[in-house]
C-alpha cells in the first residue's frame, strides 16, 4: 500500500481524532496524553504553530494511517534533546510506514541540530523497540509502573535514546 508523508496541518484535527480513535489504548500509553481528546489535539496544534512540535502524518487515500512528532523545548535545560513519538494504525504495521516516518523525523531533528533524541514505549511494544534500535536507539532507562491505563493497570515505560551525529 502506498502512503504520503506530510506535515501536520491546522485542518487535520478531525482526521487525527478519527485515526487515534482506531488505536488500542495500550498504543497511546507512551504518548504522554490521550490523543483521543479534542483538547489534546488543539494543544498539539498550538505547539506546532509555536514551533515546539514538528508533526507529521502519513495518509493513504486521504485517511491518516500514522502520525509522528518531534517534540522540543528550546527554552528548557534540555533544549538540545528532542523526543520522538510515533503511532501507526494496527493494520498498517510491518509495511515500513513507521520506518519511513522515523527517518523523516530524524531528518527534521538534524535540521534543528539536536544532540540527542529519545523515545518512550512500553517494553511489550517489541516491534517498535526493534525499529528504534535498528536506527541507533538504545535503552537508557526503564521506569517501573510509570504509565497507567484507564483500567488501572500500571505498565513499565522504556526510555530509548540516541546521540545524534549532527548536534
Amino acid at each position: 500500500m502506498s502512503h504520503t508523508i506530510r506535515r501536520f496541518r491546522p485542518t487535520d484535527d478531525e482526521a487525527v481524532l478519527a485515526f487515534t480513535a482506531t488505536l488500542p489504548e495500550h498504543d497511546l500509553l507512551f504518548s504522554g496524553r490521550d490523543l483521543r481528546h479534542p483538547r489534546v489535539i488543539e494543544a498539539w496544534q498550538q505547539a506546532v504553530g509555536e514551533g515546539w512540535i514538528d508533526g507529521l502524518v502519513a495518509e493513504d487515500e486521504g485517511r491518516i494511517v500514522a502520525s509522528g512528532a518531534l517534540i522540543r523545548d528550546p527554552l528548557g535545560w534540555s533544549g538540545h534533546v528532542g523526543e520522538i513519538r510515533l503511532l501507526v494504525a494496527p493494520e498498517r504495521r510491518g509495511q515500513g510506514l513507521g520506518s519511513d516516518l522515523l527517518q523523516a523525523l530524524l531528518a527534521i531533528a538534524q535540521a534543528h541540530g539536536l544532540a540527542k533524541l529519545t523515545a518512550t514505549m512500553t517494553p511489550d511494544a517489541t516491534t517498535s523497540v526493534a525499529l528504534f534500535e535498528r536506527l541507533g536507539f538504545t535503552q537508557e532507562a526503564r521506569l517501573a509502573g510509570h504509565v497507567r491505563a484507564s483500567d488501572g493497570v500500571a505498565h513499565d515505560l522504556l526510555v530509548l535514546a540516541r546521540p545524534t551525529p549532527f548536534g
Side-chain angles (χ1 to χ4, degrees), residues 6-59:
R6 63 167 175 80
R7 292 273 184 171
F8 182 67
R9 296 189 290 241
T11 56
D12 285 334
D13 289 16
E14 291 301 319
V16 168
L17 287 168
F19 163 63
T20 56
T22 68
L23 297 173
E25 181 181 44
H26 192 79
D27 288 3
L28 300 170
L29 291 177
F30 54 85
S31 66
R33 293 183 174 176
D34 189 343
L35 296 172
R36 297 172 295 184
H37 294 284
R39 288 180 53 195
V40 172
I41 301 303
E42 289 170 21
W44 188 23
Q45 284 281 18
Q46 183 175 351
V48 167
E50 293 173 359
W52 301 78
I53 296 177
D54 290 282
L56 299 176
V57 296
E59 283 184 319

Side-chain angles (χ1 to χ4, degrees), residues 7 53-56 69-72 79-85 101-118 137 162-167:
R7 292 273 184 171
I53 296 177
D54 290 282
L56 299 176
L70 174 65
I71 301 162
R72 301 173 299 110
H80 62 291
V81 178
E83 179 185 350
I84 291 181
R85 295 185 183 159
L101 264 175
L102 184 51
Q103 293 282 7
L105 291 167
L106 292 174
I108 293 169
Q110 181 175 6
H112 286 303
L114 297 175
K116 181 178 182 179
L117 299 172
T118 65
F137 286 77
R162 170 193 161 159
T164 62
F166 34 81

